Amino acid sequence: MKIAVLGSGSWGSALSIHFGRSGFEVVQWCRELEVVDCINKNRENPLFLKGFKYPITVKATSKLEDVFSKPVELVISVIPTQFSKQFWKEISSFVKEQKFICASKGIEIETLKTLSDVYEEVFGRKDNYYVLSGPTFAKEVAAGLPAAAVIAGFNEEKTLSLVKTLNTKSFRLYASSDVRGVELGGALKNVIAIATGISDGMNLGFNARAALITRGLHEIKRLGRALGAKEETFFGLSGLGDLILTCTGDLSRNRQFGLSIGRGSGVVDKKFVVEGVYTVKAVIKIAEKLGIEMPISEAVYKVIYEGRNPKEVMKELMARPVKEENY
């Protein structure tokens, strides 16, 4: 199988390395010419994934026509969520019958759509669309360390077949038919990771971290149900698994962003490469539209976009009216 990986960031690079190492022929599209040259000549992406060698089965290019010059059976898109629609329009003449995996996480702010809906808008179909999500740090996948994730698709039989094709000894894959749930779990956990990062940066303790993760899962589940996702999906790898990793692992950019706020650094410019900063805007809009309570997400929004003091916002969270736990 020939695989096209679209994106030069750490996750796209890790997937290219992994699948190239696993015996697939991979062509990776990179916007930056210097990254293309380094991958092809030095077998490394020093800009986004320094220290990890590419196998010879991976070729990099900055030209989309070169990516599709030979038949490609699988396309993996790792383009940042807010730029996916425009980029997908650019490749729409190349993508026809190929299986298409979206490995990005987020919600489009402008339309409040998940990426499966954006894909359908651009390509006019989604029967060949799949989403890959789960507790996976790029550096660990690139290093060949054990990991597991979920691939969700709209056709159970085809999804299971794809999972069997891509499953490896170091990267175990599971199949799901809940595309919406897998997408939402991957997107919303970034917001909770910012919250736990802020809490940890303020040295509020492990108790507070555990409470935020647990109640954060309730928020994710609550919004997911309202948008048609299956509740059990949020207790799986793309839900609880990814939530725990992103909230507690220091390789998480969203957690690191929260830590910087909690430690007093404020909301700095690096927020623009943290997907949770975009996602929280969409979450608040959707929650208001549907009349759903999302107190942790609202707290994150207040800190980032309203300039509220994290300590004051935390006090407000703790002072909310009591209720039954499972609400």
Side-chain angles (χ1 to χ4, degrees), residues 249-280:
D250 285 336
L251 290 176
S252 162
R253 289 195 299 267
N254 290 278
R255 171 174 165 76
Q256 287 295 333
F257 175 64
L259 282 169
S260 70
I261 295 175
R263 290 168 178 165
S265 299
V267 180
V268 294
D269 288 340
K270 69 178 180 180
K271 70 182 181 182
F272 296 107
V273 297
V274 177
E275 188 58 52
V277 172
Y278 294 107
T279 302
V280 73

PDB file of all heavy atoms in Angstrom, residues 249-280:
ATOM      1  N   GLY A 249       0.475  14.080  30.688  1.00  0.00           N
ATOM      2  CA  GLY A 249       1.766  13.896  30.043  1.00  0.00           C
ATOM      3  C   GLY A 249       2.386  15.218  29.638  1.00  0.00           C
ATOM      4  O   GLY A 249       1.762  16.047  28.983  1.00  0.00           O
ATOM      5  N   ASP A 250       3.641  15.431  30.016  1.00  0.00           N
ATOM      6  CA  ASP A 250       4.282  16.714  29.746  1.00  0.00           C
ATOM      7  C   ASP A 250       4.703  16.899  28.293  1.00  0.00           C
ATOM      8  O   ASP A 250       5.230  17.954  27.931  1.00  0.00           O
ATOM      9  CB  ASP A 250       5.488  16.900  30.678  1.00  0.00           C
ATOM     10  CG  ASP A 250       5.074  17.239  32.102  1.00  0.00           C
ATOM     11  OD1 ASP A 250       3.962  17.772  32.269  1.00  0.00           O
ATOM     12  OD2 ASP A 250       5.843  16.971  33.040  1.00  0.00           O
ATOM     13  N   LEU A 251       4.481  15.901  27.437  1.00  0.00           N
ATOM     14  CA  LEU A 251       4.699  16.089  26.007  1.00  0.00           C
ATOM     15  C   LEU A 251       3.499  16.758  25.344  1.00  0.00           C
ATOM     16  O   LEU A 251       3.542  17.090  24.168  1.00  0.00           O
ATOM     17  CB  LEU A 251       4.977  14.741  25.323  1.00  0.00           C
ATOM     18  CG  LEU A 251       6.313  14.070  25.646  1.00  0.00           C
ATOM     19  CD1 LEU A 251       6.409  12.706  24.966  1.00  0.00           C
ATOM     20  CD2 LEU A 251       7.482  14.961  25.200  1.00  0.00           C
ATOM     21  N   SER A 252       2.446  16.972  26.118  1.00  0.00           N
ATOM     22  CA  SER A 252       1.227  17.595  25.608  1.00  0.00           C
ATOM     23  C   SER A 252       1.396  19.108  25.508  1.00  0.00           C
ATOM     24  O   SER A 252       1.659  19.789  26.509  1.00  0.00           O
ATOM     25  CB  SER A 252       0.050  17.268  26.536  1.00  0.00           C
ATOM     26  OG  SER A 252      -1.029  18.155  26.315  1.00  0.00           O
ATOM     27  N   ARG A 253       1.219  19.661  24.313  1.00  0.00           N
ATOM     28  CA  ARG A 253       1.326  21.112  24.126  1.00  0.00           C
ATOM     29  C   ARG A 253       0.197  21.842  24.854  1.00  0.00           C
ATOM     30  O   ARG A 253       0.400  22.947  25.368  1.00  0.00           O
ATOM     31  CB  ARG A 253       1.300  21.459  22.633  1.00  0.00           C
ATOM     32  CG  ARG A 253       2.565  21.065  21.886  1.00  0.00           C
ATOM     33  CD  ARG A 253       2.631  21.740  20.527  1.00  0.00           C
ATOM     34  NE  ARG A 253       1.514  21.351  19.669  1.00  0.00           N
ATOM     35  CZ  ARG A 253       1.563  20.350  18.815  1.00  0.00           C
ATOM     36  NH1 ARG A 253       2.661  19.629  18.689  1.00  0.00           N
ATOM     37  NH2 ARG A 253       0.522  20.062  18.049  1.00  0.00           N
ATOM     38  N   ASN A 254      -0.999  21.234  24.870  1.00  0.00           N
ATOM     39  CA  ASN A 254      -2.121  21.880  25.551  1.00  0.00           C
ATOM     40  C   ASN A 254      -1.881  21.947  27.051  1.00  0.00           C
ATOM     41  O   ASN A 254      -2.165  22.957  27.694  1.00  0.00           O
ATOM     42  CB  ASN A 254      -3.409  21.128  25.243  1.00  0.00           C
ATOM     43  CG  ASN A 254      -3.848  21.310  23.801  1.00  0.00           C
ATOM     44  OD1 ASN A 254      -4.470  22.306  23.452  1.00  0.00           O
ATOM     45  ND2 ASN A 254      -3.502  20.351  22.953  1.00  0.00           N
ATOM     46  N   ARG A 255      -1.354  20.874  27.618  1.00  0.00           N
ATOM     47  CA  ARG A 255      -1.001  20.887  29.041  1.00  0.00           C
ATOM     48  C   ARG A 255       0.085  21.926  29.316  1.00  0.00           C
ATOM     49  O   ARG A 255       0.004  22.681  30.291  1.00  0.00           O
ATOM     50  CB  ARG A 255      -0.539  19.500  29.473  1.00  0.00           C
ATOM     51  CG  ARG A 255       0.065  19.468  30.878  1.00  0.00           C
ATOM     52  CD  ARG A 255       0.396  18.058  31.347  1.00  0.00           C
ATOM     53  NE  ARG A 255       1.278  18.088  32.507  1.00  0.00           N
ATOM     54  CZ  ARG A 255       0.878  18.375  33.739  1.00  0.00           C
ATOM     55  NH1 ARG A 255      -0.394  18.649  33.971  1.00  0.00           N
ATOM     56  NH2 ARG A 255       1.721  18.387  34.745  1.00  0.00           N
ATOM     57  N   GLN A 256       1.102  21.966  28.469  1.00  0.00           N
ATOM     58  CA  GLN A 256       2.200  22.916  28.658  1.00  0.00           C
ATOM     59  C   GLN A 256       1.706  24.354  28.577  1.00  0.00           C
ATOM     60  O   GLN A 256       2.163  25.225  29.312  1.00  0.00           O
ATOM     61  CB  GLN A 256       3.291  22.671  27.613  1.00  0.00           C
ATOM     62  CG  GLN A 256       4.121  21.420  27.844  1.00  0.00           C
ATOM     63  CD  GLN A 256       4.941  21.497  29.123  1.00  0.00           C
ATOM     64  OE1 GLN A 256       5.308  22.578  29.597  1.00  0.00           O
ATOM     65  NE2 GLN A 256       5.228  20.335  29.696  1.00  0.00           N
ATOM     66  N   PHE A 257       0.773  24.585  27.691  1.00  0.00           N
ATOM     67  CA  PHE A 257       0.178  25.924  27.583  1.00  0.00           C
ATOM     68  C   PHE A 257      -0.529  26.295  28.878  1.00  0.00           C
ATOM     69  O   PHE A 257      -0.383  27.409  29.392  1.00  0.00           O
ATOM     70  CB  PHE A 257      -0.791  25.942  26.406  1.00  0.00           C
ATOM     71  CG  PHE A 257      -1.549  27.229  26.264  1.00  0.00           C
ATOM     72  CD1 PHE A 257      -0.889  28.415  25.983  1.00  0.00           C
ATOM     73  CD2 PHE A 257      -2.927  27.259  26.410  1.00  0.00           C
ATOM     74  CE1 PHE A 257      -1.592  29.604  25.851  1.00  0.00           C
ATOM     75  CE2 PHE A 257      -3.631  28.439  26.276  1.00  0.00           C
ATOM     76  CZ  PHE A 257      -2.960  29.627  25.991  1.00  0.00           C
ATOM     77  N   GLY A 258      -1.306  25.365  29.426  1.00  0.00           N
ATOM     78  CA  GLY A 258      -1.972  25.615  30.691  1.00  0.00           C
ATOM     79  C   GLY A 258      -0.995  25.829  31.824  1.00  0.00           C
ATOM     80  O   GLY A 258      -1.187  26.711  32.669  1.00  0.00           O
ATOM     81  N   LEU A 259       0.072  25.035  31.844  1.00  0.00           N
ATOM     82  CA  LEU A 259       1.099  25.192  32.877  1.00  0.00           C
ATOM     83  C   LEU A 259       1.691  26.600  32.854  1.00  0.00           C
ATOM     84  O   LEU A 259       1.922  27.214  33.910  1.00  0.00           O
ATOM     85  CB  LEU A 259       2.215  24.162  32.679  1.00  0.00           C
ATOM     86  CG  LEU A 259       1.930  22.731  33.134  1.00  0.00           C
ATOM     87  CD1 LEU A 259       3.025  21.784  32.628  1.00  0.00           C
ATOM     88  CD2 LEU A 259       1.831  22.644  34.652  1.00  0.00           C
ATOM     89  N   SER A 260       1.953  27.122  31.662  1.00  0.00           N
ATOM     90  CA  SER A 260       2.550  28.455  31.551  1.00  0.00           C
ATOM     91  C   SER A 260       1.615  29.515  32.118  1.00  0.00           C
ATOM     92  O   SER A 260       2.068  30.473  32.757  1.00  0.00           O
ATOM     93  CB  SER A 260       2.902  28.769  30.089  1.00  0.00           C
ATOM     94  OG  SER A 260       1.728  28.965  29.309  1.00  0.00           O
ATOM     95  N   ILE A 261       0.313  29.343  31.930  1.00  0.00           N
ATOM     96  CA  ILE A 261      -0.645  30.293  32.500  1.00  0.00           C
ATOM     97  C   ILE A 261      -0.681  30.159  34.019  1.00  0.00           C
ATOM     98  O   ILE A 261      -0.636  31.145  34.754  1.00  0.00           O
ATOM     99  CB  ILE A 261      -2.054  30.047  31.916  1.00  0.00           C
ATOM    100  CG1 ILE A 261      -2.076  30.328  30.410  1.00  0.00           C
ATOM    101  CG2 ILE A 261      -3.086  30.915  32.631  1.00  0.00           C
ATOM    102  CD1 ILE A 261      -3.396  29.995  29.746  1.00  0.00           C
ATOM    103  N   GLY A 262      -0.770  28.917  34.490  1.00  0.00           N
ATOM    104  CA  GLY A 262      -0.842  28.685  35.927  1.00  0.00           C
ATOM    105  C   GLY A 262       0.380  29.167  36.675  1.00  0.00           C
ATOM    106  O   GLY A 262       0.298  29.565  37.849  1.00  0.00           O
ATOM    107  N   ARG A 263       1.523  29.167  36.010  1.00  0.00           N
ATOM    108  CA  ARG A 263       2.771  29.623  36.636  1.00  0.00           C
ATOM    109  C   ARG A 263       2.965  31.123  36.540  1.00  0.00           C
ATOM    110  O   ARG A 263       3.969  31.659  37.010  1.00  0.00           O
ATOM    111  CB  ARG A 263       3.955  28.904  35.992  1.00  0.00           C
ATOM    112  CG  ARG A 263       4.017  27.420  36.341  1.00  0.00           C
ATOM    113  CD  ARG A 263       5.004  26.687  35.460  1.00  0.00           C
ATOM    114  NE  ARG A 263       5.089  25.266  35.843  1.00  0.00           N
ATOM    115  CZ  ARG A 263       5.640  24.322  35.078  1.00  0.00           C
ATOM    116  NH1 ARG A 263       6.163  24.651  33.901  1.00  0.00           N
ATOM    117  NH2 ARG A 263       5.662  23.075  35.496  1.00  0.00           N
ATOM    118  N   GLY A 264       1.999  31.795  35.908  1.00  0.00           N
ATOM    119  CA  GLY A 264       2.048  33.252  35.871  1.00  0.00           C
ATOM    120  C   GLY A 264       2.590  33.855  34.606  1.00  0.00           C
ATOM    121  O   GLY A 264       2.800  35.076  34.533  1.00  0.00           O
ATOM    122  N   SER A 265       2.809  33.044  33.585  1.00  0.00           N
ATOM    123  CA  SER A 265       3.365  33.578  32.342  1.00  0.00           C
ATOM    124  C   SER A 265       2.311  34.271  31.491  1.00  0.00           C
ATOM    125  O   SER A 265       2.644  34.981  30.542  1.00  0.00           O
ATOM    126  CB  SER A 265       4.011  32.446  31.520  1.00  0.00           C
ATOM    127  OG  SER A 265       5.067  31.851  32.241  1.00  0.00           O
ATOM    128  N   GLY A 266       1.049  34.039  31.806  1.00  0.00           N
ATOM    129  CA  GLY A 266      -0.030  34.654  31.044  1.00  0.00           C
ATOM    130  C   GLY A 266      -0.298  33.928  29.738  1.00  0.00           C
ATOM    131  O   GLY A 266       0.315  32.908  29.428  1.00  0.00           O
ATOM    132  N   VAL A 267      -1.219  34.470  28.953  1.00  0.00           N
ATOM    133  CA  VAL A 267      -1.569  33.886  27.668  1.00  0.00           C
ATOM    134  C   VAL A 267      -0.616  34.450  26.623  1.00  0.00           C
ATOM    135  O   VAL A 267      -0.744  35.585  26.189  1.00  0.00           O
ATOM    136  CB  VAL A 267      -3.030  34.197  27.285  1.00  0.00           C
ATOM    137  CG1 VAL A 267      -3.371  33.582  25.936  1.00  0.00           C
ATOM    138  CG2 VAL A 267      -3.973  33.692  28.363  1.00  0.00           C
ATOM    139  N   VAL A 268       0.355  33.656  26.227  1.00  0.00           N
ATOM    140  CA  VAL A 268       1.390  34.123  25.313  1.00  0.00           C
ATOM    141  C   VAL A 268       1.062  33.731  23.876  1.00  0.00           C
ATOM    142  O   VAL A 268       0.107  33.010  23.605  1.00  0.00           O
ATOM    143  CB  VAL A 268       2.768  33.548  25.713  1.00  0.00           C
ATOM    144  CG1 VAL A 268       3.191  34.111  27.052  1.00  0.00           C
ATOM    145  CG2 VAL A 268       2.728  32.030  25.779  1.00  0.00           C
ATOM    146  N   ASP A 269       1.891  34.200  22.942  1.00  0.00           N
ATOM    147  CA  ASP A 269       1.606  34.010  21.519  1.00  0.00           C
ATOM    148  C   ASP A 269       1.566  32.555  21.093  1.00  0.00           C
ATOM    149  O   ASP A 269       0.950  32.216  20.093  1.00  0.00           O
ATOM    150  CB  ASP A 269       2.646  34.753  20.671  1.00  0.00           C
ATOM    151  CG  ASP A 269       2.460  36.257  20.734  1.00  0.00           C
ATOM    152  OD1 ASP A 269       1.353  36.679  21.102  1.00  0.00           O
ATOM    153  OD2 ASP A 269       3.405  36.983  20.421  1.00  0.00           O
ATOM    154  N   LYS A 270       2.239  31.679  21.835  1.00  0.00           N
ATOM    155  CA  LYS A 270       2.279  30.278  21.421  1.00  0.00           C
ATOM    156  C   LYS A 270       0.900  29.624  21.474  1.00  0.00           C
ATOM    157  O   LYS A 270       0.727  28.502  21.011  1.00  0.00           O
ATOM    158  CB  LYS A 270       3.260  29.480  22.269  1.00  0.00           C
ATOM    159  CG  LYS A 270       2.835  29.276  23.724  1.00  0.00           C
ATOM    160  CD  LYS A 270       3.866  28.430  24.447  1.00  0.00           C
ATOM    161  CE  LYS A 270       3.478  28.208  25.895  1.00  0.00           C
ATOM    162  NZ  LYS A 270       4.456  27.384  26.615  1.00  0.00           N
ATOM    163  N   LYS A 271      -0.107  30.338  21.985  1.00  0.00           N
ATOM    164  CA  LYS A 271      -1.466  29.790  21.986  1.00  0.00           C
ATOM    165  C   LYS A 271      -1.937  29.440  20.585  1.00  0.00           C
ATOM    166  O   LYS A 271      -2.785  28.570  20.404  1.00  0.00           O
ATOM    167  CB  LYS A 271      -2.446  30.781  22.613  1.00  0.00           C
ATOM    168  CG  LYS A 271      -2.716  32.021  21.770  1.00  0.00           C
ATOM    169  CD  LYS A 271      -3.661  32.970  22.486  1.00  0.00           C
ATOM    170  CE  LYS A 271      -3.951  34.190  21.643  1.00  0.00           C
ATOM    171  NZ  LYS A 271      -4.818  35.150  22.315  1.00  0.00           N
ATOM    172  N   PHE A 272      -1.365  30.092  19.589  1.00  0.00           N
ATOM    173  CA  PHE A 272      -1.864  29.892  18.236  1.00  0.00           C
ATOM    174  C   PHE A 272      -1.433  28.565  17.626  1.00  0.00           C
ATOM    175  O   PHE A 272      -1.857  28.221  16.535  1.00  0.00           O
ATOM    176  CB  PHE A 272      -1.433  31.072  17.358  1.00  0.00           C
ATOM    177  CG  PHE A 272      -2.053  32.373  17.801  1.00  0.00           C
ATOM    178  CD1 PHE A 272      -1.304  33.346  18.438  1.00  0.00           C
ATOM    179  CD2 PHE A 272      -3.406  32.600  17.629  1.00  0.00           C
ATOM    180  CE1 PHE A 272      -1.883  34.530  18.867  1.00  0.00           C
ATOM    181  CE2 PHE A 272      -3.994  33.777  18.057  1.00  0.00           C
ATOM    182  CZ  PHE A 272      -3.229  34.746  18.679  1.00  0.00           C
ATOM    183  N   VAL A 273      -0.578  27.808  18.307  1.00  0.00           N
ATOM    184  CA  VAL A 273      -0.249  26.463  17.829  1.00  0.00           C
ATOM    185  C   VAL A 273      -0.842  25.410  18.763  1.00  0.00           C
ATOM    186  O   VAL A 273      -0.549  24.241  18.653  1.00  0.00           O
ATOM    187  CB  VAL A 273       1.280  26.256  17.716  1.00  0.00           C
ATOM    188  CG1 VAL A 273       1.861  27.201  16.697  1.00  0.00           C
ATOM    189  CG2 VAL A 273       1.978  26.429  19.069  1.00  0.00           C
ATOM    190  N   VAL A 274      -1.684  25.846  19.694  1.00  0.00           N
ATOM    191  CA  VAL A 274      -2.331  24.942  20.638  1.00  0.00           C
ATOM    192  C   VAL A 274      -3.790  24.791  20.235  1.00  0.00           C
ATOM    193  O   VAL A 274      -4.569  25.738  20.327  1.00  0.00           O
ATOM    194  CB  VAL A 274      -2.208  25.478  22.078  1.00  0.00           C
ATOM    195  CG1 VAL A 274      -2.941  24.565  23.043  1.00  0.00           C
ATOM    196  CG2 VAL A 274      -0.741  25.590  22.483  1.00  0.00           C
ATOM    197  N   GLU A 275      -4.164  23.600  19.788  1.00  0.00           N
ATOM    198  CA  GLU A 275      -5.491  23.400  19.216  1.00  0.00           C
ATOM    199  C   GLU A 275      -6.611  23.659  20.218  1.00  0.00           C
ATOM    200  O   GLU A 275      -7.696  24.112  19.854  1.00  0.00           O
ATOM    201  CB  GLU A 275      -5.607  21.981  18.659  1.00  0.00           C
ATOM    202  CG  GLU A 275      -6.868  21.724  17.863  1.00  0.00           C
ATOM    203  CD  GLU A 275      -7.030  22.674  16.679  1.00  0.00           C
ATOM    204  OE1 GLU A 275      -6.081  22.788  15.875  1.00  0.00           O
ATOM    205  OE2 GLU A 275      -8.092  23.317  16.577  1.00  0.00           O
ATOM    206  N   GLY A 276      -6.364  23.387  21.512  1.00  0.00           N
ATOM    207  CA  GLY A 276      -7.400  23.584  22.510  1.00  0.00           C
ATOM    208  C   GLY A 276      -7.866  25.024  22.627  1.00  0.00           C
ATOM    209  O   GLY A 276      -9.007  25.291  23.019  1.00  0.00           O
ATOM    210  N   VAL A 277      -6.992  25.965  22.260  1.00  0.00           N
ATOM    211  CA  VAL A 277      -7.359  27.382  22.301  1.00  0.00           C
ATOM    212  C   VAL A 277      -8.433  27.684  21.264  1.00  0.00           C
ATOM    213  O   VAL A 277      -9.345  28.475  21.506  1.00  0.00           O
ATOM    214  CB  VAL A 277      -6.108  28.264  22.079  1.00  0.00           C
ATOM    215  CG1 VAL A 277      -6.496  29.728  21.929  1.00  0.00           C
ATOM    216  CG2 VAL A 277      -5.146  28.094  23.239  1.00  0.00           C
ATOM    217  N   TYR A 278      -8.335  27.050  20.105  1.00  0.00           N
ATOM    218  CA  TYR A 278      -9.376  27.198  19.089  1.00  0.00           C
ATOM    219  C   TYR A 278     -10.635  26.435  19.508  1.00  0.00           C
ATOM    220  O   TYR A 278     -11.761  26.935  19.405  1.00  0.00           O
ATOM    221  CB  TYR A 278      -8.889  26.640  17.745  1.00  0.00           C
ATOM    222  CG  TYR A 278      -7.747  27.401  17.120  1.00  0.00           C
ATOM    223  CD1 TYR A 278      -6.463  26.872  17.108  1.00  0.00           C
ATOM    224  CD2 TYR A 278      -7.956  28.644  16.528  1.00  0.00           C
ATOM    225  CE1 TYR A 278      -5.412  27.563  16.514  1.00  0.00           C
ATOM    226  CE2 TYR A 278      -6.917  29.342  15.935  1.00  0.00           C
ATOM    227  CZ  TYR A 278      -5.638  28.793  15.929  1.00  0.00           C
ATOM    228  OH  TYR A 278      -4.608  29.467  15.359  1.00  0.00           O
ATOM    229  N   THR A 279     -10.433  25.206  19.967  1.00  0.00           N
ATOM    230  CA  THR A 279     -11.566  24.331  20.263  1.00  0.00           C
ATOM    231  C   THR A 279     -12.477  24.914  21.335  1.00  0.00           C
ATOM    232  O   THR A 279     -13.707  24.794  21.249  1.00  0.00           O
ATOM    233  CB  THR A 279     -11.069  22.943  20.709  1.00  0.00           C
ATOM    234  OG1 THR A 279     -10.244  22.392  19.678  1.00  0.00           O
ATOM    235  CG2 THR A 279     -12.233  22.001  20.971  1.00  0.00           C
ATOM    236  N   VAL A 280     -11.902  25.565  22.350  1.00  0.00           N
ATOM    237  CA  VAL A 280     -12.734  26.080  23.441  1.00  0.00           C
ATOM    238  C   VAL A 280     -13.700  27.145  22.940  1.00  0.00           C
ATOM    239  O   VAL A 280     -14.821  27.272  23.452  1.00  0.00           O
ATOM    240  CB  VAL A 280     -11.865  26.603  24.612  1.00  0.00           C
ATOM    241  CG1 VAL A 280     -11.185  27.925  24.268  1.00  0.00           C
ATOM    242  CG2 VAL A 280     -12.709  26.754  25.868  1.00  0.00           C
TER     243      VAL A 280
END
